Amino acid sequence: MSITIKNLNKVYPNGHHALKDINLVIPPGMFGLLGPNGAGKSTLMRILVALMEPSSGEIDVYGYDLLKQRKEVRRILGYLPQDFRFFAKYKVYEFLDYAARLSGMNNTRQRKEAVDKMLEEVGLFDVRERYASKLSGGMKRRLGIAQALIHNPKVIIVDEPTTGLDPEERIRFRNLLSEVSGHEVTIILSTHIVGDISSTCKDMALLNRGQISFVGSPEEMLKMAEGKVWRLRVNNDQYRDINDKYPVISTIPMGLDWEIQVVADQIEGYEAEPFPPNLEHAYVYYMEHHLDLWTND
Amino acid sequence: MQFLKNIQSVAKYESTLLLRSWFFRVFAVLALLILGAFNFAATQEWSIIAVPGNLPYTILLFLNVGQAVIAIFLSSEFLKRDKKLDTSEVFYVRPLSNAEYVLGKIWGNLRVFFVLNLMIMALTLIANYIASTKGMTIDWEAYLYYFLLISIPTMVFILGLAIFLMLTISNQALTFILLLGYIGVTVFYIKDTFYYLFDYMAFSLPMFKSTIVGIADVDTIINHRLIYLFFGLGFTFFTIALFRRLPNAKHSHYPWIAVGIVFFILGGWKAFAHVNKNLKNDDYRTYCVELNNKYVHTPKIVIDTCILDVKQLEQGIEVSALVEGKALEKSSKYTFCLNPGMEVKSVTIEGKDTPFTREEQILIIDFGKEYEQNEPITLQINYQGSIDERFCYLDIPKEDRMEQITNQYGLQTYNAGQKYVFQQKNFLLYTPETFWYPRPGVAYSNQSPDWQQTYFSNFRLNVMPLDSLVAISQGEQQKKDNGIYSFEPEYPLQSLSLLIGKYEKKSMNIDSIDYNVWYIQGHDYFSVHFDSVMDTIAYIVRDNKENIERFYSLDYPFKRFSLVEIPGQFHTFNRAWTQAQEVMQPEMVLLPEKGFNSWAFNIAQQIKNRKEWGGWGRNGRTQVSDLDAQMSVLYDLIWFFRRTESNFDFSRGKLGKASVETSANPYLIYPELYNFKYNIFSTQWPVANRLIEIYLRNESEENSWMREVNGLSNSEKASLLLKDDSFKDLLANEEHRNIAEAIIGVKASELFAHAEMKLGTSVFRDSLFSILKNHEFENINFEALIDTLGRLGDTDLHSIIAGWTSSANLPEYIIGTPTVTQITSKDEEIYQLELTISNISDYPGLIRLEILNLNTSSQQDVPEDEQAKRIIPFNPHETKRIVTNYDEAPRNININTILSRNLPSVVSQYVTDIPKITKNYVESSNISVIANDALSVPGEIIVDNEDEHLFELSEPDITGLIPLWINQSTEGDFKYQGIDWRPPIRWTATTNESYYGTSIRSAYVIKNGGGQTATWKVPVPEKGDYEVYYYVTLPEEIRWGGGHMGPGRGGRGGNQMEYKFQIKYNDEAEDAVIDLRRAQAGWEKLGTYHFDSDTIKIVLSNDTNVRKVTADAVKLIKQ
């Protein structure tokens, strides 16, 4: 039971080649799709939830051909779009009820129980009578995941779910997803925030400029960055010089000087001590060294 | 099942959204409030109380317009929501199909609207229930029908169209404009063209539901509504196909395109059927007229006796007609006319089947042997079928047959439609117009008046109606044991009508005439209200009958008089050749159900009003007794049959100009006294009978206020038309159908004026009456009658009639001001009228001089008639001085130029100022020819607005397209326009007897302000001192109150009312004013001036505070 993407391309009518020959196998469990803004994550997500048609390629979702068997795929799909803020004038429980109905939960009593349970789970039961548009950002996001989960989907696709959330909400949200991922489902989490992935995903892919540049586990990615992160203390002039040459990922003022962290194979001309990398470092290193993203021209 | 469940789910939440939208809430609340209140207003109206179906009909029509507009705005929400809000994508990714989603959304919207409809109908029901105290019943069916026919197709269509457009155009503003434009165009512009094809809201479509026969032409209406239902569904299915969400399966939108196309084809087919049916109807009618033209001159018989045995069928009748008559000319084949819907089974002569041919209405019977003229013929025709309604009123143009029949007073929304025949299981109405029994000759031909020959025949009728129905026709009704109703009219009739229905009657015999009211079972809402007046009814009826007979100098000939209730959709037309419309039948008047279209029939309310308001008099409030109230209402009801005009129709037409039209009252009783008794026929003049009829009816000129609004009276228009076209051509011209009566009227007046001259008006009229009396129920040959009348009047009327084929040479008169003097001589005291009239044209003419207020005993040497009415002939260029002596003051003098170029054609002079003198010798009454210059005063120079070279007007300074529009709009109008309470913004010519003028008393009128001027250029023959006068017509502001108050007095103190002039002479300009508050009507002095130059100018400005400025005439008198 997995999602297999073969030779997927998407070219927009304006000629923008958003996805280039994507090949990807997504196993069950939590899968992170990492990439900077504009990398094509949302395009890939929208294709996966059948909101958009690819220009070419094949997608198999749990044995169904997404291009031909949309109805079957839609049946096992839960989706939380990137921008989940503007609501028609529905109350919280109505929103869930509507979603549940449309997913084929016809039995009124069962549906009501499911809705209530889901509201409890995401902690929205107390505001169930409130209009969805009146919820706070975090609550909205929780409502979003609730509607994506209400019908017990096999595949859950969440697009940039933590953007704009405060740290507390973000953690809460991640935990919620982790809980669900224990239920034999595939969760595809698209994000540009490395922390989302490091804390939850066991598999991940890196998408940049419409191409997959890494597939593997977060640990594998971390490994690649070992010995490539340096910590050094510099003055203002030095800082400017280093910043021109290497990606600086952390800057802490120390009196008149700065303590900075830099990602690089080697630092020449400065006294630098190696620093243990985290996933974010790995991400930056990867972007810098494999894709020449941050060329300072 | 999941399909429906999903639709239901989407619909549920779509409805929720709609109900939460403020826009809709405001609309719904307003609709409930306004229409709720409106319900209660509507239930005050008799047309709604009497026909309760009109209540839901009216209410739903109003609601429908509102919701059709609102639906457009809401449909934009539909897509806007889906476009902007990302959250709707979480529903798009669900496994439901596009069809389920779109259908669910549309259904969700629709059902909210339908619930609103139901709520409003519930309010309507409450109002309806409350109005039951007024005798209103509840027509449950109507609620269902109108909901199905009005609301559902409209909403499905407009939502489908709106959403489809919104999707394809993707521009909200543009879609709004398109849709609102579409609604506007259909409601205000296209309206009923193409037989209501574009009337998607059913706003004009006739859907009146009678309490007797229900909705007429249900098939047509359903067909029409299906057009929009189908197109609406078609648009919906296209929307599914075009919906911007990936469908559940590839290519799954193709089936929906196919379904959309199917519904479009269905809608198109229904639309085609609708238009085609109507177009074919028109073709068919044209074909029938052509057939009539073809056979109009074929031989026919005159029917003496016609015995009809009629059996009512579920639809139509089965008839055996025994016809006895005489051949009108020698032939072996004779032509009859029978409605084309009636199938002739057999024709037998003396028991033997006889061959016949049938072409639509034409039935030609081949008798197998030649008949001589006047040889008796007997035959039997057996036929069966139902009336083909298309055959009725072949002469009436489409515009008139398509005209919407709305209630004149009140709501004016529903359209009662036009039905000319009813034939269903429980009700049947055949008037002669349907040709339901064979009549000799053909029906309407536009080539020869021969078709119109009607003859008096003796009818006998036996009717076997369907179970328990009652048959009504002319003659005494006798019901036999076998259920057959038989009728044997006592008099020969020109035609016969047949009604079958659940009739009951109230009857009363007064002076050996049976007065019947035939009403449909359950419709006796009236008798209970006349309880107190029952003992007096006989008196009231007798009084009115005598009054009417005296008024028209004609007797009511029949043994009974019946008012018969018929369905409200029945419609009749006014025709040039007869006063009698189809609602008038011999000895009966057909009244629409409960008289719903006239307030006079709201008897309970009328009586209540009398009691509430009638008691207010000079001495405070007094009690109005039941009897008085009921009597008064009864007189009003009778007046319904006595008034000549039914309605005043106000409209604003070109350039916002008001006009008022009246239509003949179809219920005027007159035909019972004249048309059904007399028949004057002519092979050349189809209007012969009408000519005599209008002459004898002797109606006074139309109201003067109407003339003022319309600019010209109908008689004047007729005269102006007759100047250019012949009488014959005008009669044939459909364009002038609405003033045909006036055209015939002036021709009749002119024709008989010649004969009246010799005998005196009254004597001549009496002679004509007595000739008619001798020929009751007989055909009178017009030419022979004219012969006789000419001989009586010692004049050759034939030569005048001969001139009717060419345009008329109209005389033109100058009419002097009549003066009346009270003269006391030695042994008597008399009033002497002196009047000078000059014929200034090259043609002879007649003047009718009438003193309207005179009811005196006569002078010994003057016949009574001449005291009050006389005709005075004028040769070309002849001036006559008329002197007449009266015992009483002749205050109200009417000078009628009959048929002339004069405008106004009738001058009414009211004499207020009568000087007294004493004389030894009193000039006896005489008419003398005097010199032609008698009316002009030496030394006077008058310049009138009619002087093209000496009178000038300024043009308002308007730029752009307006002048073009004005010129186009005024093209083809008569030169002289009406002036209503809103004066025109540019100088407008109008005529009125109070203006100065020779044969045309005209002036130019304009609204005040704007610097417009009128200039008179007056030639001055020699240097010297001149008095300058202006001809003043006092404005209404002064005539009605406000008059002759000096500045500083009265409510509008200091508000001067002046005409401001400039007198331009000797290279300088001097101001002059006329203070209208002090002025008298007529010549008013501006001042005395010394003129050197040979032409001076007098300029009138419209910069004044008098609302209406009149430019008429100026006068100079040499000192």
Side-chain angles (χ1 to χ4, degrees):
Chain A
M1 288 291 110
S2 62
I3 299 167
T4 314
I5 301 169
K6 276 188 197 158
N7 306 326
L8 185 73
N9 280 283
K10 175 69 189 178
V11 184
Y12 281 103
N14 63 11
H16 175 55
H17 204 148
L19 294 176
K20 295 173 192 159
D21 226 11
I22 305 277
N23 284 287
L24 195 62
V25 177
I26 301 172
M30 194 103 159
F31 185 88
L33 187 65
L34 191 64
N37 286 328
K41 295 192 300 291
S42 283
T43 303
L44 181 59
M45 298 288 105
R46 289 171 64 79
I47 289 173
L48 282 177
V49 295
L51 281 173
M52 191 187 275
E53 224 168 354
S55 307
S56 66
E58 286 169 33
I59 302 169
D60 179 285
V61 181
Y62 280 50
Y64 298 115
D65 181 345
L66 178 64
L67 305 187
K68 290 182 184 140
Q69 294 167 289
R70 287 194 199 105
K71 184 165 182 168
E72 287 73 12
V73 175
R74 280 168 172 167
R75 209 171 266 148
I76 56 166
L77 207 69
Y79 173 56
L80 173 60
Q82 181 178 8
D83 197 9
F84 195 72
R85 286 182 296 161
F86 301 106
F87 294 85
K89 208 163 170 134
Y90 292 129
K91 290 177 179 169
V92 170
Y93 81 90
E94 287 173 339
F95 200 88
L96 277 192
D97 182 68
Y98 191 10
R101 274 166 173 263
L102 295 185
S103 294
M105 296 172 72
N106 292 329
N107 185 304
T108 315
R109 198 175 52 82
Q110 283 175 6
R111 191 173 62 240
K112 191 180 176 310
E113 280 172 6
V115 167
D116 285 351
K117 188 160 162 265
M118 185 54 71
L119 285 171
E120 294 269 20
E121 272 175 31
V122 297
L124 290 177
F125 192 80
D126 293 340
V127 293
R128 59 201 294 281
E129 288 289 346
R130 202 185 282 182
Y131 282 118
S133 53
K134 298 271 192 288
L135 295 179
S136 72
M139 285 170 150
K140 278 181 182 170
R141 214 53 64 93
R142 276 185 267 149
L143 174 61
I145 197 68
Q147 63 80 26
L149 300 177
I150 184 73
H151 54 297
N152 297 318
K154 297 268 185 296
V155 179
I156 299 156
I157 296 175
V158 282
D159 195 358
E160 303 273 4
T162 56
T163 322
L165 293 189
D166 60 45
E168 198 185 335
E169 279 284 2
R170 188 176 294 181
I171 290 161
R172 194 172 169 170
F173 191 82
R174 282 175 190 158
N175 292 340
L176 204 70
L177 281 185
S178 304
E179 254 172 59
V180 179
S181 64
H183 301 290
E184 294 282 305
V185 297
T186 306
I187 300 179
I188 303 175
L189 172 72
S190 124
T191 184
H192 66 278
I193 296 165
V194 181
D196 288 346
I197 299 211
S198 59
S199 56
T200 48
C201 298
K202 72 178 205 286
D203 293 294
M204 64 169 286
L206 201 59
L207 187 68
N208 197 16
R209 291 188 174 176
Q211 288 171 311
I212 296 287
S213 49
F214 172 84
V215 185
S217 64
E219 292 77 24
E220 282 170 338
M221 192 152 145
L222 201 62
K223 235 178 236 165
M224 294 174 74
E226 262 169 29
K228 313 291 182 191
V229 184
W230 308 91
R231 183 165 65 180
L232 61 164
R233 201 170 165 136
V234 290
N235 61 25
N236 269 343
D237 293 340
Q238 290 170 324
Y239 173 73
R240 251 178 253 123
D241 178 50
I242 289 205
N243 201 26
D244 283 348
K245 290 180 183 158
Y246 312 104
V248 176
I249 51 170
S250 153
T251 317
I252 305 162
M254 305 284 269
L256 288 171
D257 295 341
W258 305 90
E259 187 189 290
I260 59 171
Q261 290 176 16
V262 177
V263 175
D265 284 336
Q266 287 215 302
I267 306 279
E268 284 172 17
Y270 291 94
E271 195 178 309
E273 58 174 310
F275 192 78
N278 61 21
L279 198 60
E280 194 168 355
H281 298 136
Y283 176 64
V284 173
Y285 175 78
Y286 203 83
M287 289 293 166
E288 171 73 1
H289 289 267
H290 291 255
L291 293 162
D292 301 316
L293 186 71
W294 288 329
T295 42
N296 297 324
D297 47 6
Chain B
M1 253 351 263
Q2 191 59 38
F3 182 73
L4 290 182
K5 281 227 161 86
N6 282 345
I7 290 178
Q8 190 56 30
S9 298
V10 176
K12 176 184 150 73
Y13 281 102
E14 191 63 22
S15 304
T16 308
L17 280 188
L18 186 53
L19 286 172
R20 284 178 187 165
S21 121
W22 279 106
F23 194 52
F24 178 79
R25 286 183 185 180
V26 169
F27 167 70
V29 169
L30 281 180
L32 284 167
L33 282 178
I34 293 173
L35 289 176
F38 193 69
N39 270 314
F40 294 94
T43 47
Q44 308 299 317
E45 286 210 20
W46 179 237
S47 61
I48 280 170
I49 299 170
V51 183
N54 280 341
L55 183 62
Y57 185 5
T58 306
I59 297 293
L60 282 179
L61 277 189
F62 276 116
L63 173 62
N64 204 35
V65 178
Q67 65 187 8
V69 174
I70 295 301
I72 288 174
F73 286 101
L74 289 173
S75 68
S76 73
E77 299 276 306
F78 178 114
L79 291 167
K80 201 172 72 184
R81 214 156 47 223
D82 288 359
K83 248 184 175 176
K84 277 196 182 163
L85 304 181
D86 239 353
T87 47
S88 57
E89 286 194 337
V90 304
F91 303 123
Y92 282 14
V93 300
R94 310 277 156 182
L96 84 166
S97 68
N98 287 0
E100 287 158 358
Y101 191 70
V102 170
L103 289 177
K105 286 220 157 204
I106 290 181
W107 170 234
N109 280 303
L110 276 178
R111 65 181 196 174
V112 173
F113 276 101
F114 291 158
V115 168
L116 178 66
N117 276 249
L118 292 177
M119 282 164 72
I120 284 175
M121 282 201 289
L123 276 180
T124 305
L125 261 174
I126 294 171
N128 197 340
Y129 179 74
I130 291 172
S132 61
T133 53
K134 297 193 175 93
M136 188 170 174
T137 55
I138 295 177
D139 187 343
W140 294 98
E141 275 180 356
Y143 283 83
L144 177 66
Y145 289 172
Y146 290 128
F147 177 59
L148 292 178
L149 292 173
I150 296 176
S151 293
I152 290 186
T154 307
M155 290 310 286
V156 170
F157 174 72
I158 199 71
L159 269 180
L161 174 68
I163 289 168
F164 175 78
L165 280 183
M166 212 57 91
L167 205 61
T168 44
I169 296 176
S170 302
N171 181 323
Q172 199 178 335
L174 191 62
T175 312
F176 277 173
I177 292 168
L178 272 179
L179 286 168
L180 292 177
Y182 171 72
I183 291 184
V185 165
T186 53
V187 171
F188 299 111
Y189 188 69
I190 301 180
K191 281 192 228 170
D192 50 4
T193 40
F194 300 107
Y195 315 95
Y196 305 106
L197 178 64
F198 294 100
D199 185 14
Y200 75 95
M201 285 192 275
F203 198 72
S204 312
L205 193 71
M207 295 198 293
F208 178 92
K209 183 172 181 292
S210 160
T211 52
I212 304 172
V213 294
I215 298 176
D217 278 337
V218 178
D219 295 350
T220 312
I221 291 169
I222 290 178
N223 184 76
H224 180 280
R225 300 319 287 153
L226 282 180
I227 298 173
Y228 287 102
L229 187 68
F230 288 156
F231 272 112
L233 291 172
F235 281 123
T236 305
F237 294 127
F238 281 135
T239 303
I240 294 174
L242 293 171
F243 191 59
R244 284 176 199 136
R245 172 199 178 230
L246 290 181
N248 270 346
K250 255 200 159 132
H251 308 306
S252 68
H253 55 283
Y254 287 124
W256 294 112
I257 291 181
V259 176
I261 290 172
V262 166
F263 274 98
F264 260 53
I265 291 171
L266 280 172
W269 170 59
K270 288 283 164 197
F272 173 78
H274 182 78
V275 173
N276 189 46
K277 182 180 159 199
N278 285 295
L279 284 178
K280 272 210 176 125
N281 286 357
D282 287 342
D283 291 347
Y284 182 74
R285 290 163 56 84
T286 312
Y287 176 60
C288 288
V289 174
E290 278 165 13
L291 279 179
N292 286 335
N293 288 339
K294 184 175 165 192
Y295 292 105
V296 68
H297 296 303
T298 51
K300 52 193 172 195
I301 71 169
V302 52
I303 296 177
D304 295 325
T305 306
C306 180
I307 301 169
L308 300 166
D309 287 311
V310 178
K311 189 176 164 214
Q312 189 194 3
L313 306 174
E314 299 259 313
Q315 236 213 346
I317 49 170
E318 186 186 333
V319 184
S320 166
L322 183 69
V323 176
E324 289 173 16
K326 288 192 290 289
L328 269 176
E329 57 194 286
K330 185 175 163 177
S331 179
S332 63
K333 288 181 180 176
Y334 291 94
T335 306
F336 294 84
C337 184
L338 179 66
N339 189 288
M342 293 291 172
E343 190 194 344
V344 176
K345 299 272 179 206
S346 66
V347 176
T348 56
I349 296 171
E350 292 161 6
K352 277 193 296 187
D353 271 358
T354 305
F356 62 90
T357 54
R358 194 90 205 276
E359 266 183 272
E360 302 308 328
Q361 75 274 23
I362 304 292
L363 169 65
I364 297 175
I365 298 172
D366 186 351
F367 286 78
K369 71 160 219 186
E370 194 130 286
Y371 283 84
E372 294 298 324
Q373 192 180 4
N374 287 330
E375 192 179 335
I377 294 177
T378 304
L379 74 157
Q380 178 144 5
I381 304 170
N382 299 309
Y383 60 93
Q384 178 185 333
S386 55
I387 295 298
D388 187 335
E389 196 174 17
R390 296 175 294 176
F391 183 69
C392 300
Y393 296 105
L394 291 177
D395 56 311
I396 302 292
K398 195 178 92 186
E399 308 86 79
D400 289 16
R401 282 182 294 109
M402 288 295 295
E403 195 197 348
Q404 293 184 39
I405 310 302
T406 53
N407 194 5
Q408 281 298 322
Y409 305 99
L411 300 169
Q412 303 198 5
T413 42
Y414 60 80
N415 182 0
Q418 300 188 355
K419 285 290 287 175
Y420 317 127
V421 61
F422 295 94
Q423 42 192 352
Q424 50 201 59
K425 235 170 108 179
N426 63 347
F427 189 83
L428 182 139
L429 166 58
Y430 289 169
T431 63
E433 182 62 38
T434 60
F435 283 75
W436 65 277
Y437 55 90
R439 290 157 75 176
V442 297
Y444 173 76
S445 152
N446 52 17
Q447 280 177 5
S448 166
D450 264 7
W451 73 273
Q452 232 174 13
Q453 303 309 338
T454 49
Y455 297 92
F456 287 97
S457 314
N458 288 299
F459 284 99
R460 255 187 288 154
L461 175 66
N462 300 305
V463 186
M464 177 73 201
L466 287 173
D467 39 39
S468 75
L469 298 184
V470 177
I472 304 173
S473 184
Q474 281 75 26
E476 193 187 346
Q477 182 202 52
Q478 285 178 316
K479 190 181 178 187
K480 301 198 174 137
D481 291 343
N482 52 8
I484 288 178
Y485 287 86
S486 71
F487 302 88
E488 221 171 301
E490 295 84 354
Y491 303 97
L493 298 171
Q494 293 155 315
S495 59
L496 197 70
S497 34
L498 173 62
L499 295 101
I500 300 174
K502 285 190 187 123
Y503 278 113
E504 287 173 355
K505 81 167 165 176
K506 292 265 183 284
S507 198
M508 191 176 263
N509 188 292
I510 304 166
D511 300 336
S512 67
I513 292 178
D514 279 327
Y515 292 89
N516 308 313
V517 177
W518 288 102
Y519 55 89
I520 298 291
Q521 229 172 55
H523 285 198
D524 175 16
Y525 72 97
F526 48 90
S527 40
V528 64
H529 300 301
F530 287 127
D531 51 344
S532 307
V533 85
M534 283 317 284
D535 297 336
T536 325
I537 280 185
Y539 163 78
I540 294 171
V541 169
R542 191 179 296 128
D543 178 44
N544 271 285
K545 177 172 174 283
E546 281 168 6
N547 242 314
I548 294 167
E549 289 179 333
R550 201 178 322 119
F551 185 78
Y552 290 118
S553 312
L554 290 165
D555 294 333
Y556 182 76
F558 301 109
K559 292 235 177 284
R560 65 198 62 76
F561 177 76
S562 307
L563 299 180
V564 188
E565 191 186 11
I566 59 166
Q569 295 103 327
F570 190 72
H571 188 72
T572 62
F573 296 98
N574 194 11
R575 276 142 156 192
W577 62 80
T578 178
Q579 162 74 36
Q581 299 190 18
E582 289 291 290
V583 287
M584 276 287 152
Q585 296 296 331
E587 61 181 49
M588 64 170 77
V589 181
L590 310 180
L591 276 178
E593 45 200 296
K594 292 188 176 178
F596 79 101
N597 52 6
S598 171
W599 52 265
F601 287 89
N602 190 0
I603 292 160
Q605 188 65 41
Q606 292 300 319
I607 289 175
K608 200 170 147 223
N609 289 352
R610 292 296 191 292
K611 299 189 83 161
E612 268 174 27
W613 308 110
W616 291 99
R618 199 171 293 170
N619 307 319
R621 192 158 184 184
T622 53
Q623 202 67 34
V624 176
S625 72
D626 284 348
L627 177 66
D628 286 346
Q630 292 176 13
M631 256 175 74
S632 158
V633 170
L634 203 55
Y635 267 98
D636 260 2
L637 271 179
I638 294 170
W639 180 245
F640 185 75
F641 304 96
R642 293 185 62 176
R643 62 193 179 141
T644 49
E645 268 108 26
S646 57
N647 294 310
F648 293 105
D649 258 351
F650 289 91
S651 57
R652 284 206 178 267
K654 294 173 184 173
L655 299 172
K657 184 163 282 304
S659 67
V660 53
E661 271 181 31
T662 59
S663 45
N665 175 17
Y667 303 101
L668 177 67
I669 203 79
Y670 187 77
E672 302 286 349
L673 306 174
Y674 182 87
N675 301 64
F676 300 140
K677 193 162 60 159
Y678 303 119
N679 182 31
I680 294 156
F681 71 95
S682 157
T683 48
Q684 206 193 343
W685 296 101
V687 293
N689 204 30
R690 192 81 207 268
L691 198 85
I692 307 284
E693 174 200 314
I694 292 176
Y695 174 71
L696 289 180
R697 232 168 67 201
N698 191 27
E699 250 148 44
S700 53
E701 273 292 304
E702 63 193 61
N703 294 319
S704 61
W705 65 267
M706 276 179 62
R707 185 190 183 281
E708 213 161 302
V709 172
N710 290 337
L712 294 173
S713 72
N714 281 345
S715 304
E716 284 162 354
K717 284 181 188 164
S719 297
L720 290 175
L721 291 169
L722 284 163
K723 185 162 65 89
D724 300 323
D725 285 308
S726 73
F727 183 39
K728 197 181 175 93
D729 291 343
L730 285 178
L731 286 177
N733 190 342
E734 272 177 2
E735 207 186 311
H736 304 304
R737 239 167 60 83
N738 53 345
I739 60 163
E741 188 173 334
I743 296 173
I744 299 167
V746 292
K747 284 314 252 186
S749 181
E750 186 212 16
L751 175 70
F752 295 120
H754 286 92
E756 286 175 35
M757 200 161 43
K758 176 82 177 173
L759 288 175
T761 304
S762 317
V763 178
F764 174 77
R765 288 172 69 91
D766 289 347
S767 319
L768 180 51
F769 276 123
S770 66
I771 295 171
L772 288 178
K773 213 167 175 54
N774 291 330
H775 294 88
E776 282 183 1
F777 303 107
E778 284 175 24
N779 294 308
I780 306 167
N781 183 290
F782 180 62
E783 281 74 18
L785 177 71
I786 289 299
D787 238 17
T788 314
L789 293 175
R791 246 181 288 122
L792 277 172
D794 200 13
T795 173
D796 180 13
L797 296 180
H798 280 298
S799 66
I800 297 165
I801 291 172
W804 285 358
T805 49
S806 53
S807 56
N809 294 320
L810 305 186
E812 200 174 345
Y813 308 93
I814 300 177
I815 296 164
T817 311
T819 58
V820 177
T821 321
Q822 186 182 357
I823 302 175
T824 313
S825 67
K826 42 189 181 310
D827 52 352
E828 58 181 351
E829 194 183 75
I830 54 128
Y831 293 88
Q832 188 168 69
L833 166 71
E834 202 186 329
L835 172 64
T836 306
I837 297 172
S838 179
N839 178 1
I840 55 170
S841 71
D842 298 334
Y843 313 109
L846 302 173
I847 294 270
R848 186 190 298 276
L849 180 65
E850 286 175 311
I851 314 296
L852 295 179
N853 64 315
L854 228 53
N855 54 353
T856 180
S857 57
S858 68
Q859 287 276 100
Q860 57 273 44
D861 55 340
V862 190
E864 186 188 352
D865 195 32
E866 282 207 359
Q867 283 282 333
K869 290 177 188 170
R870 62 206 304 199
I871 306 282
I872 300 155
F874 282 83
N875 288 320
H877 300 287
E878 187 176 57
T879 305
K880 283 184 170 173
R881 177 172 168 269
I882 300 134
V883 176
T884 318
N885 297 329
Y886 298 92
D887 289 346
E888 272 178 50
R891 288 188 180 275
N892 203 346
I893 300 160
N894 219 4
I895 303 150
N896 186 340
T897 59
I898 303 177
L899 187 53
S900 73
R901 281 168 186 259
N902 275 47
L903 291 174
S905 66
V906 180
V907 175
S908 291
Q909 209 84 40
Y910 195 79
V911 181
T912 46
D913 199 15
I914 301 179
K916 282 183 190 177
I917 55 167
T918 311
K919 257 187 181 179
N920 285 335
Y921 165 73
V922 179
E923 184 181 359
S924 61
S925 299
N926 73 91
I927 297 173
S928 52
V929 175
I930 57 170
N932 275 333
D933 60 2
L935 279 168
S936 59
V937 180
E940 269 186 13
I941 307 153
I942 297 175
V943 176
D944 185 30
N945 60 292
E946 288 289 317
D947 287 311
E948 273 175 43
H949 305 293
L950 301 179
F951 179 70
E952 263 178 17
L953 292 167
S954 63
E955 284 283 334
D957 190 22
I958 309 172
T959 50
L961 289 171
I962 294 173
L964 195 72
W965 170 65
I966 288 176
N967 290 340
Q968 271 180 353
S969 306
T970 49
E971 227 166 77
D973 280 350
F974 290 105
K975 176 181 171 190
Y976 299 102
Q977 305 279 309
I979 301 294
D980 56 70
W981 45 97
R982 276 192 346 205
I985 52 158
R986 44 161 32 205
W987 289 107
T988 301
T990 179
T991 62
N992 192 307
E993 60 189 20
S994 64
Y995 296 141
Y996 177 83
T998 51
S999 59
I1000 294 175
R1001 297 189 180 188
S1002 69
Y1004 282 86
V1005 172
I1006 197 168
K1007 184 180 189 296
N1008 62 345
Q1012 298 304 307
T1013 57
T1015 307
W1016 291 262
K1017 292 181 281 187
V1018 191
V1020 178
E1022 52 182 330
K1023 262 189 204 178
D1025 289 333
Y1026 288 86
E1027 281 182 338
V1028 178
Y1029 291 85
Y1030 183 73
Y1031 201 89
V1032 170
T1033 307
L1034 292 177
E1036 285 89 348
E1037 291 136 279
I1038 290 194
R1039 270 191 277 153
W1040 303 338
H1044 300 288
M1045 280 195 297
R1049 289 178 59 200
R1052 301 155 86 191
N1055 189 4
Q1056 294 188 333
M1057 302 194 79
E1058 291 176 339
Y1059 273 5
K1060 295 195 172 85
F1061 295 87
Q1062 273 201 323
I1063 320 283
K1064 294 183 176 174
Y1065 65 104
N1066 308 354
D1067 298 328
E1068 53 185 298
E1070 199 169 306
D1071 289 338
V1073 292
I1074 289 179
D1075 180 356
L1076 293 172
R1077 288 190 196 278
R1078 295 174 193 280
Q1080 299 282 335
W1083 291 115
E1084 187 73 19
K1085 192 170 167 181
L1086 272 170
T1088 309
Y1089 299 86
H1090 183 83
F1091 295 139
D1092 290 336
S1093 47
D1094 54 0
T1095 300
I1096 60 126
K1097 284 184 179 176
I1098 298 172
V1099 182
L1100 169 65
S1101 153
N1102 76 336
D1103 284 324
T1104 165
N1105 49 14
V1106 185
R1107 260 169 50 81
K1108 195 168 92 178
V1109 178
T1110 308
D1112 196 348
V1114 296
K1115 178 166 86 171
L1116 265 56
I1117 300 176
K1118 177 100 185 357
Q1119 286 295 292

